[in-house]
Amino acid sequence: MERGQRERDQRQTQRSPLVLTPHRLPDDPQAKPEEPQAGASGRQGWRVGWAALAGLVVAAGIGIATQPRSSGDQMLTDIAKAERMKAFKAHGPLQLSRVPDAARAETLRQMGMAPQARQALERDLDEGRVHLGWLTLWDDQVQDGDAISVAGAGFSRTIALTKQPQQIAVPIGASGDPFVVTGVRDGGAGITVAATSNSSRVPLPVMAPGETFDLYLSGV
């Protein structure tokens, strides 16, 4: 009996020892992965979007500021304006060449006067109180859409200035009354105009719309 007991004890000692391994629970199908907080992400994206937009606006502003101006935007300096005014005042009345008597009828038609004003001018011409002279005007800076009006001795005309000199007939009275030149439209750099006087060029004062100056004329 003791022998049998010893054999049972020997067999128990030869068995493999018990090894404990961690047990992994099955995945919970109800569990969801953790998602990032939408509020923080949205705020961050909003800030990035506005920062990019601000950068584009700043870049566009710099581009506009550094873009070279077109020639039509070139402004005369105050010194240049003062020099023009000085030259105009020093010149005195503009000397205009006469319109030949043979061209008087056609010239009167082209002046575009109202019938009553034209009849009055024809009487003054017949009686020698006035004569017609050629006034030549143009934009002596950049052609940018400047316009002026010239009025005097019962005559008025609005002129869109160009680089090409324009010649219009005006009545010149013996009394020496001036014509009134008025700025009508500024193309963007001040209304600039020059005139011809006895074949010489005379710069006239720079104007803004609504400004006026007196222009004295005489015949040769």
Side-chain angles (χ1 to χ4, degrees), residues 126-139:
D126 291 338
E127 297 173 6
R129 288 190 292 269
V130 298
H131 66 272
L132 297 178
W134 291 117
L135 175 62
T136 303
L137 301 169
W138 73 96
D139 191 333

Side-chain angles (χ1 to χ4, degrees), residues 18-154:
L18 179 63
V19 178
L20 297 178
T21 59
H23 180 67
R24 182 178 180 182
L25 295 176
D27 294 337
D28 186 358
Q30 300 297 325
K32 294 183 180 180
E34 185 177 356
E35 296 179 356
Q37 296 182 1
S41 175
R43 288 192 295 271
Q44 183 178 5
W46 180 82
R47 294 191 186 99
V48 172
W50 274 106
L53 178 59
L56 290 175
V57 171
V58 171
I62 293 174
I64 293 173
T66 57
Q67 184 178 5
R69 287 176 171 267
S70 65
S71 57
D73 292 330
Q74 293 175 352
M75 299 287 291
L76 290 175
T77 64
D78 290 340
I79 295 177
K81 292 178 181 179
E83 289 295 331
R84 291 175 68 96
M85 177 65 77
K86 181 180 178 180
F88 170 71
K89 289 183 176 180
H91 186 277
L94 299 184
Q95 304 291 322
L96 306 185
S97 59
R98 282 177 176 263
V99 175
D101 291 339
R104 193 178 89 173
E106 178 62 20
T107 301
L108 286 170
R109 186 185 66 81
Q110 294 178 356
M111 290 173 70
M113 301 177 70
Q116 186 175 357
R118 176 174 172 175
Q119 292 172 5
L121 177 57
E122 287 179 331
R123 287 194 299 269
D124 289 339
L125 289 168
D126 291 338
E127 297 173 6
R129 288 190 292 269
V130 298
H131 66 272
L132 297 178
W134 291 117
L135 175 62
T136 303
L137 301 169
W138 73 96
D139 191 333
D140 64 333
Q141 296 299 309
V142 176
Q143 181 175 320
D144 54 6
D146 293 346
I148 62 171
S149 70
V150 179

Side-chain angles (χ1 to χ4, degrees), residues 129-214:
R129 288 190 292 269
V130 298
H131 66 272
L132 297 178
W134 291 117
L135 175 62
T136 303
L137 301 169
W138 73 96
D139 191 333
D140 64 333
Q141 296 299 309
V142 176
Q143 181 175 320
D144 54 6
D146 293 346
I148 62 171
S149 70
V150 179
F155 167 81
S156 66
R157 172 74 64 84
T158 298
I159 305 167
L161 299 169
T162 64
K163 293 292 290 184
Q164 183 67 29
Q166 301 180 63
Q167 189 178 67
I168 63 172
V170 294
I172 302 173
S175 60
D177 293 334
F179 273 67
V180 177
V181 180
T182 304
V184 174
R185 184 175 62 248
D186 180 5
I191 301 173
T192 50
V193 56
T196 298
S197 174
N198 197 18
S199 300
S200 63
R201 171 186 173 276
V202 180
L204 305 185
V206 179
M207 293 182 294
E211 291 185 341
T212 65
F213 66 86
D214 290 340

